[in-house]
Amino acid sequence: MTRRAKIAVTVPQERLDAAQRAVCDGRAAGVSAYAAEAMEQREKSEDFVLKLEEALEESGGPMTDAEREEIDRLAGW
């Protein structure tokens, strides 16, 4: 089983409201679960950026503006 730790955090009221709405709407098991999922997503995003930077270094450098636009287009951003 995953170890858990209880912490206290201060967040903007809007973030707490959004978490509580997600719980009320059944999109999260609880505010703690909502926060843990957000932290996990942040970690994955940062890992992705690091891996992308490493790949770019190995393949010849940073992306061009055209390459960034193509990725954004393909990702639907």
Side-chain angles (χ1 to χ4, degrees), residues 3 13 15-16 20 22 29-30 35-37 46 63 73 75:
R3 289 184 52 213
Q13 185 65 47
R15 299 287 60 83
L16 177 58
Q20 291 171 329
E37 289 172 19
E46 289 174 353
M63 290 185 285
R73 185 188 68 75

Side-chain angles (χ1 to χ4, degrees), residues 4-49:
R4 302 204 180 264
K6 187 171 186 161
I7 63 170
V9 297
T10 302
V11 298
Q13 185 65 47
E14 297 81 17
R15 299 287 60 83
L16 177 58
D17 293 345
Q20 291 171 329
R21 277 193 306 275
V23 173
C24 288
D25 294 346
R27 294 180 285 120
V31 172
S32 292
Y34 186 90
E37 289 172 19
M39 290 176 183
E40 182 179 358
Q41 288 302 316
R42 171 78 184 253
E43 182 180 2
K44 287 178 181 179
S45 176
E46 289 174 353
D47 286 347
F48 173 77
V49 169

Side-chain angles (χ1 to χ4, degrees), residues 67-77:
E67 289 169 329
R68 286 181 189 279
E69 289 172 8
E70 178 66 7
I71 288 172
D72 289 347
R73 185 188 68 75
L74 292 171
W77 298 330

